[in-house]
Amino acid sequence: MKLADYLRTDGHLLPRLEPTEQATLDLQALTRTRADHVEAKVAALNQLAALLDEHWPGGKAVFASLDSDIALAFLERYPTPAAATKLTAGRFQAWCKRRGYSGRQPGNVLIERLRAAPKAASRLSDTVVAQLVSIQVAQVQGIRATIHALDKAIAEAVETHPYAPLFATMPRIGTVSLSQVIGEIGPILERAQTCEQLIAEAGVVPVTRASGKSRTVAFRFATNRRARVALTVFADNSRHGSEWAAKIYNDARARKKRHPHAIRILARAWLRVMWACWRDGTCYDPVTHQANNKINTPVEKPLPA
């Protein structure tokens, strides 16, 4: 009854929330699914490495030396030590060259790593080991195919998203990073009333607790973790393509801040840029949004109590 009476008397002071844009929800679902598949790929690769370490250390040594695509093709062609018995340095070099190997290591070095690896203590037969390795390789390749399909779908969704032009020109923000920023930060932008609310909901400010004479500033655990990860990944990449971002990061490091803390400080600065772009409906421009190392924003009215 109190809430109903408050809505009757002061409801006109409350901001009206609207449903999140359908395009943003779709993009968010695609990026989150891609992140899950990337985690599954990492887990599958770790399982493959553990399998090789137990049953074929030489294959693991070669797998670590080659590009991922060529390494998977190598294990598909030579899944056991017996299958690679007749492999020579020349044949190995020619095989890698046909598959576009970058050539960081010559064939004689690769074959030496294959031969010098210790013999596995596994008691399984070569037939079973070949089946296990082939199945694990097929799993990794299947997950890589799904990630490729998701990348294509994400690129198509970003191309038509209304928010993409606002942030597409930011430094070192690729298609995947842009889609993650739009999918995770976009819904917060749509409902935030002030820039400080945006920064707090994105999880890049600490939590301050004060009681009596005690006051603590702690890391914010209860927050939108996916939004914070998407933002901090972009912020970390941006410092390699923007002098403005690099200065903010280096200044924070000079103040003895740890790397994660300095990245969150930089992420707050980027959120103010995003807020300015969102508020004015203008695309990111370094001259406009980084003048004198600050964002010119009007005084924002506080939210009603």
Side-chain angles (χ1 to χ4, degrees):
M1 293 180 63
K2 290 181 179 179
L3 291 175
D5 188 60
Y6 175 70
L7 183 62
R8 178 183 62 84
T9 58
D10 298 333
H12 62 284
L13 299 176
L14 300 176
R16 183 176 297 275
L17 296 179
E18 300 292 342
T20 304
E21 288 280 348
Q22 185 63 44
T24 303
L25 290 177
D26 295 342
L27 190 58
Q28 183 185 86
L30 288 172
T31 56
R32 290 186 176 185
T33 303
R34 184 188 185 277
D36 294 339
H37 281 235
V38 169
E39 291 183 2
K41 185 191 74 171
V42 173
L45 285 172
N46 290 337
Q47 292 173 354
L48 178 58
L51 181 66
L52 293 174
D53 191 41
E54 182 178 0
H55 302 291
W56 191 18
K60 182 180 178 181
V62 175
F63 182 79
S65 304
L66 296 174
D67 300 334
S68 58
D69 292 336
I70 303 176
L72 292 174
F74 172 80
L75 292 176
E76 191 175 19
R77 175 66 179 83
Y78 304 102
T80 62
T85 302
K86 297 182 180 181
L87 192 62
T88 62
R91 293 177 60 186
F92 198 1
Q93 183 76 25
W95 184 89
C96 292
K97 186 177 180 180
R98 287 196 302 270
R99 283 155 181 80
Y101 178 52
S102 60
R104 292 194 303 268
Q105 298 292 342
N108 58 340
V109 173
L110 295 174
I111 203 69
E112 179 62 26
R113 291 179 181 178
L114 179 64
R115 301 283 186 257
K119 185 178 180 181
S122 175
R123 297 176 59 187
L124 298 180
S125 62
D126 288 345
T127 303
V128 174
V129 172
Q131 290 176 341
L132 293 176
V133 173
S134 299
I135 290 173
Q136 195 64 35
V137 168
Q139 181 184 12
V140 175
Q141 290 176 334
I143 298 175
R144 286 164 61 91
T146 60
I147 293 175
H148 179 72
L150 286 168
D151 287 342
K152 184 178 179 180
I154 287 172
E156 294 174 355
V158 168
E159 187 176 357
T160 58
H161 199 284
Y163 302 164
L166 299 177
F167 312 131
T169 55
M170 289 184 170
R172 293 293 184 94
I173 187 166
T175 302
V176 174
S177 183
L178 177 61
S179 64
Q180 291 173 340
V181 168
I182 294 175
E184 303 299 341
I185 304 298
I188 305 177
L189 276 169
E190 292 176 6
R191 67 173 179 265
Q193 299 300 306
T194 65
C195 183
E196 296 307 317
Q197 179 187 352
L198 170 66
I199 294 173
E201 290 198 28
V204 290
V205 289
V207 177
T208 303
R209 298 183 179 89
S211 177
K213 295 182 179 180
S214 65
R215 181 177 180 273
T216 60
V217 180
F219 178 76
R220 183 181 294 268
F221 287 96
T223 188
N224 188 335
R225 178 182 173 275
R226 290 183 182 269
R228 177 163 58 194
V229 170
L231 183 64
T232 52
V233 168
F234 157 67
D236 193 14
N237 292 332
S238 69
R239 64 190 179 92
H240 301 290
S242 169
E243 294 182 0
W244 174 79
K247 183 178 185 304
I248 294 177
Y249 173 83
N250 293 331
D251 289 347
R253 294 288 286 167
R255 298 194 300 271
K256 307 301 181 182
K257 306 296 184 183
R258 295 173 59 245
H259 171 74
H261 192 176
I263 291 298
R264 291 195 296 273
I265 292 173
L266 177 57
R268 289 200 293 270
W270 276 120
L271 276 180
R272 293 187 176 93
V273 174
M274 294 179 184
W275 176 260
C277 295
W278 169 266
R279 180 196 62 210
D280 302 334
T282 57
C283 300
Y284 167 75
D285 181 11
V287 177
T288 303
H289 297 112
Q290 297 175 5
N292 299 323
N293 290 335
K294 63 182 180 180
I295 308 301
N296 296 320
T297 57
V299 178
E300 297 165 339
K301 296 181 180 180
L303 293 174

